[in-house]
Every structure is written in structure tokens, then in C-alpha cells.
Amino acid sequence: QVQLVESGGGLVQPGGSLRLSCAASRSIIGIAMGWYRQAPGKERELVALIFNGNTNYADSVKGRFTISRDNAKNTVYLQMNSLKPEDTAVYYCHAPGGDWGQGTQVTVSS
């Protein structure tokens, strides 16, 4: 399976923005890509999915997050706007059948 490396996390204030990147080891054309997150004490959840130009989002992030991909760069992005403290989590990108990587920490706090 394709290997993925997440980056772009950090500490931001409520209402701020971050853009997460997911760099793939090879072409991701034709591969469904998802962003997941896991908050402390909670199970990992699907945040956004992109496949064949279609996107889906968890209700909690609709209107605030945007998943996109640049196939020429073998990269998937998650633009995160209007961040809330409850968005605090480790964020992972994932492809079907793949292993889970290290993720990138997003902390939203004043």
C-alpha cells in the first residue's frame, strides 16, 4: 500500500486555521483518501473523504473543513477553518488497507 506522511499540525487559537498535508509515496490517482482524527479518550473518527472528485464530511466539520488533492504532487490536503477546541486531536490520513502513520497533532486552545 501507499505510504503516507502527515504534516501541518500545530497550536492555534479558536477561530484560527490550519492546512494539513498528506504526502504519498506514489501516485494516489484512483485511491480513496480520508482524513481521520482521534481526540483524547475517544475513538478515531472519519473527518473527510475524497474519491473520484467526490467529498464527504463528518457533520461536525461541514462548512469548516475542506479536503482536496493534488495528484501531480501526490498530496492530499485538509483545510481547517473556524477551528474549535473540540477539533483538538491527532489527525491522520489513510488509504484503504493501509497502515496508520504517526499523524499530526492539532491543538485548538486559547
Side-chain angles (χ1 to χ4, degrees), residues 63-83:
R64 300 188 298 119
F65 291 9
T66 303
I67 187 171
S68 62
R69 66 200 299 163
D70 186 339
N71 288 334
K73 296 181 178 179
N74 297 340
T75 301
V76 181
Y77 303 97
L78 184 67
Q79 179 66 47
M80 310 165 67
N81 299 326
S82 302
L83 284 162

Side-chain angles (χ1 to χ4, degrees), residues 22-43:
C22 174
S25 60
R26 62 170 177 82
S27 174
I28 55 173
I29 296 175
I31 300 176
M33 300 295 300
W35 281 99
Y36 296 73
R37 69 185 181 188
Q38 187 166 23
K42 296 186 176 182
E43 294 186 351

Side-chain angles (χ1 to χ4, degrees), residues 5-22:
V5 179
E6 305 93 340
S7 63
L11 174 64
V12 296
Q13 295 185 352
S17 297
L18 283 174
R19 188 178 75 161
L20 307 184
S21 297
C22 174

Side-chain angles (χ1 to χ4, degrees), residues 35-58:
W35 281 99
Y36 296 73
R37 69 185 181 188
Q38 187 166 23
K42 296 186 176 182
E43 294 186 351
R44 185 158 49 210
E45 65 173 337
L46 177 64
V47 174
L49 180 70
I50 185 167
F51 183 56
N52 289 344
N54 297 316
T55 58
N56 289 282
Y57 300 92

